Amino acid sequence: MNKHATTYEPISKPTKERQGSGRTSTKARTVRAWDLPTRLFKWSLVALIATAWISSGFADPDMTVHKAAGYGILVLLIYRLLWGIFGGSTARFSTFVRSPASAWFYLRLLRQGRAKPYLGHNPAGGLMVIGLLLGCSVQVLLGLFSSDGVTAAGPFAGMVGDTVAGWVAEIHAAWFYFVILGLAGLHIAANLYYQFVKRDNIIGAMITGRKDVRPYVDGREAQGGSLAVAGICLLVAAGVVYGAVALFGSSV
C-alpha cells in the first residue's frame, strides 16, 4: 500500500426512517459535519472582514467602525485558536492539520479522480484554513500598530513612532489586497469547485451543519462541541483583547 494513502472504514447504509409520506427522512440521509459554533465563527469572520473593508472608505477620520471590526476579528481569531483545541471533532486542528506533503498527495489524487471524500477539511483544505487564519492574524496585528499620521491610529502605534506606524499602515493596506483577498478568492473558488464539480455540498454544510451520508475518510459523523465551552472560549478571547489594549494601548 502507498505510504501516503489514507485508510478509512466504509460506513453502513443508514437505517431508513419512514415519514408519513413513506420517504426516507432528511436526517436519515445526512450526518453532522460542522457544529454551530464553528459555523457561526466562519460567517461572523466573513461579515467582519467585509465590514472592515467597506468601512475603510467611510468619511470617518477616527475610523471607529473599521477599528471596531478589527477588534472583533482579533477576538474571533483567538476564539478559533481555543476552539481548535476544545471544539467539535471537525473543528479541532488535530483532525485536519496535515503536512504540505500530505496536501500535495491529496491534490494529485484529486486530479486523478481518486481522492476520497472528507467529512471535515481535506489535507489541502486544512492548510488553506491555517493560511487564512495566519493571514488574518497578520492583518490585524499590522492594524494595531498602524497610523495615518493624523487622527486614525491603532492602539499600539505610539510604541513604534509615527514613521514606522506610517510604514505599517501601508503594509496593512497592501496585505489586505494582495494576501487576504487572494486567499479568500482561492478559498471561494475551491468551495465552488467542490460544490458544483465534485457534488460535495460543502457550502450548504457550512449553513446547515450537515452533509450527505458517504464513506468519509475522517469519520462517519462529527462530534459536536459544547456550547458552554464555546461561550467560555469567546469570553476568554474577548477578555484577552480588551485587557491587552486597555493595559498596553493608547485607546480601546
Side-chain angles (χ1 to χ4, degrees), residues 120-143:
H121 296 297
N122 60 58
L127 287 186
M128 169 60 70
V129 169
I130 298 302
L132 282 166
L133 294 177
L134 289 176
C136 289
S137 297
V138 171
Q139 179 70 8
V140 173
L141 290 176
L142 288 170

Side-chain angles (χ1 to χ4, degrees), residues 193-202 212 214:
Y193 171 77
Y194 278 95
Q195 183 76 30
F196 297 108
V197 177
K198 301 298 290 183
R199 301 298 181 183
D200 185 352
N201 189 25
I202 191 169
D212 293 337
R214 298 175 70 184

Side-chain angles (χ1 to χ4, degrees), residues 11 13 29 62 70 74 83 96 102 105-106 113 155 157 161-162 181-182 185 190 198 201 224:
I11 62 174
K13 293 182 179 180
R29 292 182 282 110
D62 294 327
L74 184 55
W83 194 241
F96 69 81
S102 297
F105 181 71
Y106 170 81
D162 292 341
L181 289 186
K198 301 298 290 183
N201 189 25

Side-chain angles (χ1 to χ4, degrees), residues 50-60 63 65-67 172 176-177:
T51 300
W53 184 13
I54 295 170
S55 63
S56 64
F58 286 179
D60 179 12
M63 301 193 76
V65 175
H66 183 78
K67 293 198 307 189
H172 178 67
F176 178 80
Y177 285 103

